[in-house]
Amino acid sequence: MPPKKKKGKGKKKKKKDEKTELTIEDKYKRTMEEIECLKDELAARSEIARRSKNTADRMKERMREAKEEVETEQQNKLDISSDLTRQYKTMQSEMALRIHMLEQTVNKLREQLASTEEELKKTRKERDDIRREKDEIIAELQFKIDHMESAYESVLHDAFDRMAIKVEDARARWEMESSEIQEKNKQLLLEFGLNPLEI
């Protein structure tokens, strides 16, 4: 800041000789004015420097806080990343274990299915064999029944024929015996003097 210059008071009429030097008092006043100007400038610059320092301190504090926030955020990110990595690895391990267990279950079920299919095939064969044997037995029994029916029919016809002959023989015999008995009774009645036709 340029030194202040006083108007009017500081100026005196020029002496006749312009080359004459300033007096000591003028130099002192001039120097004091320069000192005051420099003091004012120094005070102004000190104030600017103080404000700048305060601003710098505030900015440093804000920078420190921002740095702490960034570090905290980075630590949080690291923690989250670590936790997610751990969870991912745990999930991957659990998934691998589950896949392994499911594969074992699938293999076991396939074995059971193969065994069941084999057993079903065997059961169907046994059923078909039993059905075939049953059909053969039924056919054989039906044949025997048919044969027995015809045999029984023949036996019955023979028995009825023999019975009819026996009945006919018995009837003839009874008729003959009856005729003989009637004849004897007639003779007896005649001997007693009775007429059989009247009785």
Side-chain angles (χ1 to χ4, degrees):
M1 203 172 182
K4 294 179 181 178
K5 294 182 180 179
K6 294 183 180 179
K7 293 181 180 179
K9 291 181 180 177
K11 288 185 179 180
K12 292 185 178 180
K13 290 182 180 179
K14 293 182 181 178
K15 295 181 179 180
K16 293 178 181 179
D17 190 2
E18 290 183 3
K19 291 184 180 179
T20 57
E21 294 182 3
L22 294 173
T23 63
I24 293 176
E25 190 176 338
D26 290 336
K27 286 182 180 181
Y28 176 75
K29 285 181 180 178
R30 192 171 183 182
T31 303
M32 287 304 291
E33 287 176 0
E34 289 179 358
I35 288 171
E36 287 298 323
C37 286
L38 289 172
K39 280 181 180 180
D40 291 341
E41 188 175 350
L42 181 62
R45 289 192 180 185
S46 295
E47 182 62 22
I48 291 171
R50 186 184 64 77
R51 289 179 182 174
S52 297
K53 186 175 182 302
N54 288 339
T55 304
D57 289 341
R58 284 198 306 273
M59 292 302 292
K60 282 181 183 178
E61 182 64 22
R62 289 178 66 186
M63 283 291 291
R64 186 185 63 76
E65 290 175 357
K67 189 176 179 183
E68 286 178 357
E69 287 180 5
V70 168
E71 288 176 354
T72 304
E73 190 68 26
Q74 286 178 346
Q75 187 61 41
N76 288 339
K77 284 182 181 178
L78 285 173
D79 292 342
I80 291 170
S81 176
S82 175
D83 188 51
L84 288 175
T85 303
R86 182 184 56 76
Q87 288 181 5
Y88 174 75
K89 287 182 178 178
T90 303
M91 228 165 53
Q92 199 173 23
S93 300
E94 289 175 355
M95 191 62 69
L97 180 62
R98 189 173 177 190
I99 288 170
H100 179 67
M101 290 176 68
L102 288 173
E103 285 175 350
Q104 285 185 339
T105 305
V106 167
N107 291 334
K108 187 176 179 181
L109 289 174
R110 281 180 179 166
E111 291 174 1
Q112 288 180 355
L113 179 62
S115 174
T116 305
E117 286 178 348
E118 186 66 27
E119 189 175 346
L120 179 62
K121 187 178 178 182
K122 184 178 177 183
T123 305
R124 282 179 177 170
K125 185 178 180 301
E126 289 176 356
R127 183 199 65 190
D128 293 339
D129 292 343
I130 291 169
R131 185 178 290 171
R132 188 173 57 255
E133 289 176 6
K134 183 183 74 173
D135 291 341
E136 289 175 358
I137 291 169
I138 289 171
E140 186 178 350
L141 289 173
Q142 188 66 42
F143 175 76
K144 286 181 178 179
I145 288 169
D146 293 340
H147 182 67
M148 286 174 68
E149 281 180 357
S150 61
Y152 278 121
E153 188 177 350
S154 176
V155 167
L156 287 173
H157 280 303
D158 291 343
F160 283 138
D161 289 343
R162 284 195 298 272
M163 190 178 289
I165 290 169
K166 286 181 180 179
V167 167
E168 189 62 32
D169 291 343
R171 187 177 65 79
R173 205 168 46 250
W174 289 340
E175 284 180 357
M176 193 184 335
E177 289 177 359
S178 175
S179 296
E180 289 177 358
I181 290 170
Q182 284 178 3
E183 190 62 34
K184 283 181 182 180
N185 288 334
K186 281 181 186 180
Q187 292 296 327
L188 287 172
L189 287 171
L190 287 173
E191 286 177 5
F192 286 110
L194 297 172
N195 187 3
L197 298 174
E198 292 177 357
I199 296 174

